[in-house]
Amino acid sequence: MTKQRPHISAVIPTWQGLRYLPACLSALRAQLEPDDEIILVDNGSRDHAGAWAERYAPDVRVVQLPTNLGFAGGTNAGLAVARGELLLLINDDALAEPGCIAALWHALSEHPHAGAAAGVLTFSRHPERIASAGITVRRDGVATDRDLGISINALPTNTQPIFGASGGLALLRRAMLDDIGPFEASFFNYLEDVDLAWRAQLRNWTCVLAPHARARHVYSATSGQGSPFKQRLLGRNRIRVLIRCLPTALLRECLPAILRYDLLAAAYALARRQPAIIAGRVEALRELPALRQQRQAIQARRTASINDLATWITPAPSPLSDLRIARQIDRLIATT
């Protein structure tokens, strides 16, 4: 007998994303049930996305924010008013393919101890290539999109455990967020989903990949791939995640690789005259007293064993390998 699906609240944060919303909403409506809901959080958009939805999409609950709180703060505002037991996160520039939501629920229902099911994002004009199949974490402290750039045909046919779900397409259990809390709003954009995934793993909430839950995504549509804004937030939030979330034993083991990566990143920033890469890290280091307090609170609630957590940390590839992947993504984005 098929298990009845709980109600879903789909939460879509948007900032300057009006051009994507009609298609995004239409794809969701075709897959949601009458008792589900769509919540659009307008992060103070100058394109008046919220006002457009209030006029032309009356079935959508609109949360109007006076200022831009980023993905983290905007999503949290939507989660705060959501009524569903299941919480669907999807970017405004993502187009859910048919069967996406059903596949996410199937994966979650098969794994009752999982707190999240991750979908697969593909490049909007290259749907044969994966933009994200969840999150992977490396020994050098880098957290990146799983299977980035590889063929969609390489995906497994069945659900499988992974470290965490990208905030761009995920189905979360409310019970998990009740336990670990929502996104850390101060992250604004980038790596807030990694921070959430770490906090979930620390509390023994697992995540599964739903390989048939797919959405086409406009990669880095909001702030631009490689922009100084993105570079600064990535550098800052990387340090925040490492200090807040890595247990001492893992931090000690990974520290040489972490420091080597950051030294190489600083050298690259100086050589390419991209100071935002360094500025973000300096900003995080200035927050050390507050980050230590946050770390203490997070680590005090850990229930997962160090051995179990260590299984998720993968070897770091060479810098040249990272550069090759980055160039491949740049080529895909150029026609996305």
Side-chain angles (χ1 to χ4, degrees):
M1 185 175 180
T2 303
K3 184 177 179 181
Q4 183 176 6
R5 173 172 71 72
H7 299 325
I8 287 177
S9 294
V11 178
I12 310 169
T14 188
W15 185 75
Q16 307 296 86
L18 177 57
R19 63 193 182 278
Y20 303 113
L21 284 178
C24 176
L25 294 175
S26 178
L28 288 180
R29 287 191 189 101
Q31 301 182 46
L32 292 173
E33 297 177 357
D35 290 331
D36 297 329
E37 64 176 353
I38 300 175
I39 301 169
L40 178 71
V41 182
D42 185 351
N43 261 318
S45 299
R46 293 190 298 271
D47 63 5
H48 307 294
W52 173 88
E54 288 175 338
R55 181 173 182 180
Y56 296 106
D59 58 319
V60 174
R61 295 177 64 194
V62 178
V63 177
Q64 295 271 18
L65 298 180
T67 57
N68 185 6
L69 300 183
F71 177 87
T75 302
N76 284 353
L79 294 173
V81 302
R83 296 187 286 252
E85 183 181 332
L86 299 177
L87 304 158
L88 174 69
L89 307 184
I90 186 166
N91 282 358
D92 58 359
D93 54 4
L95 184 67
E97 295 187 3
C100 175
I101 294 175
L104 285 168
W105 164 238
H106 177 72
L108 208 54
S109 64
E110 278 192 335
H111 298 83
H113 298 295
V120 177
L121 294 169
T122 61
F123 291 94
S124 60
R125 294 189 184 177
H126 296 278
E128 77 283 358
R129 292 287 168 182
I130 297 170
S132 176
I135 297 167
T136 187
V137 288
R138 305 184 338 196
R139 185 170 297 277
D140 57 6
V142 172
T144 188
D145 290 305
R146 191 172 176 273
D147 294 338
L148 180 61
I150 74 169
S151 169
I152 200 81
N153 294 326
L155 285 170
T157 56
N158 298 318
T159 60
Q160 66 178 65
I162 62 172
F163 174 76
S166 164
L169 181 61
L171 188 64
L172 312 181
R173 293 190 196 274
R174 179 180 293 278
M176 182 185 77
L177 294 185
D178 288 343
D179 180 38
I180 68 172
F183 291 110
E184 172 51 51
S186 67
F187 276 47
F188 194 80
N189 279 1
Y190 308 117
L191 304 185
E192 68 288 311
D193 49 3
V194 177
D195 182 88
L196 189 80
W198 264 115
R199 287 187 282 124
Q201 289 288 346
L202 289 168
R203 291 286 294 165
N204 274 315
W205 287 101
T206 60
C207 179
V208 290
L209 175 68
H212 300 293
R214 301 175 185 176
R216 300 188 184 192
H217 179 228
V218 181
Y219 201 82
S220 288
T222 300
S223 58
Q225 175 74 354
S227 68
F229 174 78
K230 183 173 182 178
Q231 290 174 338
R232 181 178 68 84
L233 293 193
L234 281 172
R236 183 195 68 183
N237 293 347
R238 161 185 165 82
I239 303 301
R240 286 180 172 180
V241 169
L242 294 174
I243 294 174
R244 281 164 51 89
C245 297
L246 261 71
T248 301
L250 294 182
L251 187 58
R252 187 184 299 117
E253 181 182 341
C254 296
L255 191 58
I258 290 170
L259 293 176
R260 184 164 53 249
Y261 180 89
D262 282 303
L263 287 172
L264 287 172
Y268 177 86
L270 292 171
R272 299 297 295 269
R273 297 183 179 180
Q274 296 178 357
I277 294 174
I278 298 174
R281 288 165 166 81
V282 172
E283 184 178 345
L285 292 175
R286 288 174 178 160
E287 302 170 348
L288 270 178
L291 290 173
R292 285 182 180 135
Q293 288 184 344
Q294 295 166 21
R295 172 185 178 80
Q296 185 177 14
I298 291 169
Q299 298 302 323
R301 300 192 71 240
R302 175 173 67 85
T303 55
S305 72
I306 294 298
N307 287 340
D308 286 345
L309 294 169
T311 62
W312 293 115
I313 298 178
T314 63
S318 69
L320 286 178
S321 177
D322 276 340
L323 282 175
R324 280 196 295 270
I325 292 173
R327 288 169 181 165
Q328 178 191 12
I329 301 311
D330 286 341
R331 288 193 295 271
L332 289 169
I333 293 170
T335 55
T336 296

